[in-house]
Amino acid sequence: MTQAEIKLCSLLLQEHFGEIVEKIGVHLIRTGSQPLRVIAHDTGTSLDQVKKALCVLIQHNLVSYQVHKRGVVEYEAQCSRVLRMLRYPRYIYTTKTLYSDTGELIVEELLLNGKLTMSAVVKKVADRLTETMEDGKTMDYAEVSNTFVRLADTHFVQRCPSVPTTENSDPGPPPPAPTLVINEKDMYLVPKLSLIGKGKRRRSSDEDAAGEPKAKRPKHTTDNKEPIPDDGIYWQANLDRFHQHFRDQAIVSAVANRMDQTSSEIVRTMLRMSEITTSSSAPFTQPLSSNEIFRSLPVGYNISKQVLDQYLTLLADDPLEFVGKSGDSGGGMYVISILTTCHLLSSFLSRFGSRCARIFRLVLQKKHLEQKQVEDFAMIPAKEAKDMLYKMLSENFMSLQEIPKTPDHAPSRTFYLYTVNILSAARMLLHRCYKSIANLIERRQFETKENKRLLEKSQRVEAIIASMQATGAEEAQLQEIEEMITAPERQQLETLKRNVNKLDASEIQVDETIFLLESYIECTMKRQ
C-alpha cells in the first residue's frame, strides 16, 4: 500500500462519509486488521463512535471482519474496494445506457446504501421515478421489478452473503460475530415477490393538507403491516461484472482501431457470448467454435461463413494476439486474450508522441536492442532516436542492461541494451495516476471551499424562486429575486461551475487509465 493510495482513500472516505469514518478507515488501512478496543484506543475515538463508523464501513463492503480462535473479532479495511468509489459515476452511467433510467436508479440506490432488499429498492426507485413524471402519472412496481430481474440475470447485481439458518437454531452460546455464507447457485436468484403498487410523490397528501402533523397520527396503520416477503435477502452491485463490461468495451475499441469495424463486431459477439460463462478475472475467455460465433452474429450483419473464418484467421495471426486459436473442432475454436499489451500502449505513450510509441513497441517486440539497432529498425535519425530513448529512460519506461565483454566493465568493451519491463512501467504509471487523482480531488475541494459563501447564496435564491413558482408568483417578482445575485457574482459562479466540471471530467478520465492499468497488472500476474 503506497502513500498515494492511502491519501486517495482518505480523501474518498472523508468526501463520502465524513471525518470520523475517514479516521477509522485510514487507521485500519495503515495498521491492518485490529480488534474493536484497540481501534478505539489508537484513534482516541469513543467506543460508540467506532462501532457506528465500522457499521457504515461494513454496510458498504469497505471493511471485513474475521473471528479468531480465541473469539476475538478483528476488522480489516478493503483498500481496493475504497478506491472503487472513484468509479461510482461510471457504474451508474453504464447502467443508464444499458437499462435506461430505471436501471440507473436501481444501481444508484444500491451504491448509496451499500446493501438493500429488492422490495426496498423497488419502492425507492418507483417513488423517485414518479416524482419526475407529469402529474397524474406514476411508475408501477412491476416495471421496476422487471428491470431488477434483468440486472440480476446479467449479473450486474448479486445477493449478499447471509447468516445460515442452521446457525440461528444452534442452542449453544451465540458466536462473537456471525459467519456469512452464500451458495453460488443462489447468488443471482431473484425471490418471487408479488409487489403490487405504484410510486408515491413526496408532495403533501390530502391528510397533510388538513394540517395534522405526521408525528401525531395514529400508529395503527404501521403496526398492521405484513412481514416483508424478502426480509433478510440483501442485494449489492456486482462491481466485478461492471469491470468485465468496461474491459470488453476497451478490447472492442482496440480491435476497431487496429483492424476495422467488422473485426470489432466479431470480437464484440464473442465477448457477449462468454460474458456470463467467463470469470471477470480470467486471462482468456471460454473457447468458442466458428459455427457458434456465426450463429450468434447480430441480425442484419450480412457476412458469409467463409468471410467470418477469414476474419478469425486474420485476428488469430495478428502479432498483438487479440484472438487465439485453441482447437480445430466446430470449424475452429477461438478464445480472446484479455487486455494484451497493445491496450496499454496508447495510455502509456500519449505524452511522448507516435515516434516514441514506435520505438517503445519495437523494443517491446525485440526484447533487447542497442541504440544503433533502434535507429535502424525504427528508421528515425540518430539524434532524434537518442533523445527519445534517453527521455523514456529518465521516465523509467525503459531500462538499460549492460553486458560486458571483459571482466573490467570498460565502456568501450560493453554492450548497452535497451529493454522494457512493462509490468514495472504499468505499476509506476498506476502510482502516478493515484497521485494525479488525489490532486484533482483536493483542487476541486479547494475551489468549492473558496466560493462557499457564494454557493450558499445561490442555493438560497434558487430555493426562493422554486417556492415562489410553486405558489404562482408573477414574472416581475421572480426577476426581482434573481437580481439578488449581481452580474460579477453570476460570472464567478459560471467560472466555478466550468472549473469543477473540468476537474470532474479529468477524474473520470484518469480513472479509466487506472482501470486499464489495474486490469493489465492483474491479468499479467495470473499468467506468470
Side-chain angles (χ1 to χ4, degrees):
M1 182 59 56
T2 62
Q3 287 298 316
E5 288 174 280
I6 293 171
K7 182 181 178 182
L8 183 54
C9 287
S10 171
L11 288 167
L12 289 168
L13 287 171
Q14 186 171 13
E15 192 170 40
H16 284 79
F17 304 112
E19 290 183 6
I20 295 173
V21 175
E22 180 263 338
K23 189 177 183 181
I24 304 301
V26 171
H27 174 73
L28 287 174
I29 289 170
R30 290 184 186 277
T31 58
S33 58
Q34 283 195 333
L36 178 65
R37 294 192 178 277
V38 174
I39 298 169
H41 177 268
D42 290 352
T43 57
T45 311
S46 69
L47 209 58
D48 185 50
Q49 286 184 325
V50 174
K51 286 179 182 178
K52 289 177 181 175
L54 287 172
C55 282
V56 170
L57 291 167
I58 291 170
Q59 171 74 11
H60 288 268
N61 302 310
L62 306 178
V63 161
S64 61
Y65 60 85
Q66 190 174 2
V67 183
H68 288 271
K69 291 180 180 179
R70 294 181 179 179
V72 178
V73 182
E74 289 194 347
Y75 300 89
E76 185 177 4
Q78 305 296 318
C79 181
S80 59
R81 189 61 178 72
V82 176
L83 294 172
R84 294 295 82 82
M85 288 195 288
L86 280 170
R87 222 159 280 159
Y88 280 7
R90 199 175 171 196
Y91 299 142
I92 294 167
Y93 178 73
T94 300
T95 319
K96 182 182 176 70
T97 56
L98 295 174
Y99 299 98
S100 73
D101 293 344
T102 309
E104 174 197 10
L105 292 182
I106 288 171
V107 170
E108 186 180 328
E109 286 293 339
L110 289 173
L111 291 173
L112 285 173
N113 294 280
K115 303 179 181 74
L116 279 177
T117 60
M118 178 181 170
S119 55
V121 172
V122 169
K123 287 171 185 174
K124 281 174 178 278
V125 171
D127 290 349
R128 287 181 63 181
L129 287 170
T130 300
E131 284 185 8
T132 61
M133 291 179 169
E134 298 174 2
D135 289 341
K137 292 185 178 180
T138 54
M139 174 58 69
D140 200 337
Y141 286 172
E143 193 174 335
V144 182
S145 296
N146 291 337
T147 306
F148 193 99
V149 171
R150 287 167 60 204
L151 283 165
D153 289 342
T154 50
H155 298 185
F156 281 104
V157 297
Q158 64 181 14
R159 281 194 187 190
C160 301
S162 57
V163 181
T165 52
T166 53
E167 190 170 313
N168 293 331
S169 59
D170 191 359
T179 304
L180 305 179
V181 294
I182 182 75
N183 189 343
E184 285 190 16
K185 293 179 182 178
D186 299 335
M187 195 172 281
Y188 306 103
L189 182 65
V190 180
K192 293 180 180 179
L193 303 176
S194 56
L195 293 172
I196 301 169
K198 295 183 178 181
K200 298 172 185 175
R201 299 179 190 273
R202 286 185 186 174
R203 287 201 290 269
S204 57
S205 60
D206 298 335
E207 295 165 339
D208 292 331
E212 185 181 4
K214 289 184 179 180
K216 293 186 178 180
R217 288 182 198 163
K219 295 185 179 178
H220 60 84
T221 54
T222 59
D223 293 337
N224 297 329
K225 277 187 179 178
E226 296 179 2
I228 301 170
D230 61 341
D231 190 25
I233 303 174
Y234 288 88
W235 292 81
Q236 62 187 357
N238 184 5
L239 304 190
D240 288 339
R241 178 66 183 85
F242 281 100
H243 293 168
Q244 187 180 346
H245 178 77
F246 299 155
R247 182 200 67 196
D248 292 352
Q249 294 295 101
I251 292 170
V252 170
S253 176
V255 172
N257 292 336
R258 171 74 176 174
M259 305 286 202
D260 61 2
Q261 199 60 40
T262 306
S263 300
S264 69
E265 197 58 48
I266 291 168
V267 170
R268 190 196 303 275
T269 303
M270 293 173 70
L271 289 167
R272 192 175 63 247
M273 292 168 68
S274 59
E275 65 183 358
I276 292 179
T277 57
T278 303
S279 167
S280 59
S281 57
F284 299 97
T285 61
Q286 294 291 328
L288 298 167
S289 70
S290 173
N291 296 330
E292 287 177 316
I293 298 167
F294 182 70
R295 286 194 296 269
S296 301
L297 282 171
V299 179
Y301 214 79
N302 298 320
I303 62 169
S304 65
K305 176 70 167 60
Q306 185 181 358
V307 173
L308 173 66
D309 289 338
Q310 289 174 350
Y311 266 107
L312 287 170
T313 305
L314 190 67
L315 284 163
D317 292 341
D318 191 88
L320 296 177
E321 300 174 344
F322 287 112
V323 174
K325 193 169 184 179
S326 62
D328 295 316
S329 60
M333 301 295 288
Y334 296 90
V335 297
I336 293 178
S337 179
I338 304 301
L339 284 175
T340 58
T341 308
C342 138
H343 303 134
L344 294 172
L345 288 175
S346 58
S347 59
F348 265 27
L349 296 164
S350 57
R351 61 190 296 175
F352 293 127
S354 59
R355 288 197 167 190
C356 272
R358 192 195 309 173
I359 292 174
F360 185 86
R361 192 180 291 113
L362 181 67
V363 176
L364 197 61
Q365 289 174 353
K366 301 289 186 182
K367 307 297 182 189
H368 296 87
L369 284 177
E370 287 187 276
Q371 184 175 308
K372 184 70 172 68
Q373 291 175 308
V374 172
E375 297 163 10
D376 295 340
F377 286 139
M379 293 182 290
I380 294 174
K383 187 176 183 300
E384 285 185 36
K386 187 188 294 184
D387 289 344
M388 291 172 186
L389 282 168
Y390 289 170
K391 190 176 180 181
M392 286 190 280
L393 190 65
S394 65
E395 295 274 356
N396 294 323
F397 279 103
M398 286 193 184
S399 55
L400 201 60
Q401 187 173 346
E402 297 180 8
I403 302 178
K405 297 179 187 176
T406 55
D408 60 355
H409 287 261
S412 58
R413 293 186 293 276
T414 302
F415 292 110
Y416 294 96
L417 303 179
Y418 288 94
T419 185
V420 173
N421 184 344
I422 197 160
L423 198 58
S424 66
R427 287 198 178 104
M428 177 199 66
L429 271 179
L430 186 60
H431 178 71
R432 287 185 183 179
C433 286
Y434 286 141
K435 290 177 74 173
S436 299
I437 214 159
N439 291 340
L440 286 167
I441 292 172
E442 284 186 325
R443 182 66 198 182
R444 174 166 52 78
Q445 290 176 347
F446 172 78
E447 290 278 349
T448 309
K449 189 178 178 181
E450 283 290 296
N451 297 276
K452 186 179 178 182
R453 185 197 61 80
L454 187 58
L455 285 169
E456 287 174 352
K457 182 180 178 181
S458 172
Q459 288 169 358
R460 283 198 304 271
V461 169
E462 286 173 4
I464 294 168
I465 291 172
S467 64
M468 290 180 72
Q469 284 175 337
T471 55
E474 295 179 2
E475 190 65 34
Q477 290 175 312
L478 296 175
Q479 186 70 28
E480 188 179 344
I481 298 297
E482 284 179 2
E483 287 173 359
M484 289 172 64
I485 298 178
T486 61
E489 286 178 332
R490 202 172 295 281
Q491 188 176 359
Q492 193 176 344
L493 277 170
E494 286 296 322
T495 305
L496 173 65
K497 191 182 294 185
R498 190 166 56 250
N499 290 343
V500 169
N501 287 341
K502 281 182 183 178
L503 291 167
D504 285 338
S506 300
E507 282 180 43
I508 293 169
Q509 288 175 348
V510 175
D511 181 62
E512 287 176 9
T513 306
I514 287 174
F515 171 73
L516 272 179
L517 294 168
E518 286 179 339
S519 302
Y520 176 77
I521 291 167
E522 185 182 354
C523 287
T524 307
M525 294 298 290
K526 286 187 177 177
R527 286 176 187 168
Q528 288 178 351

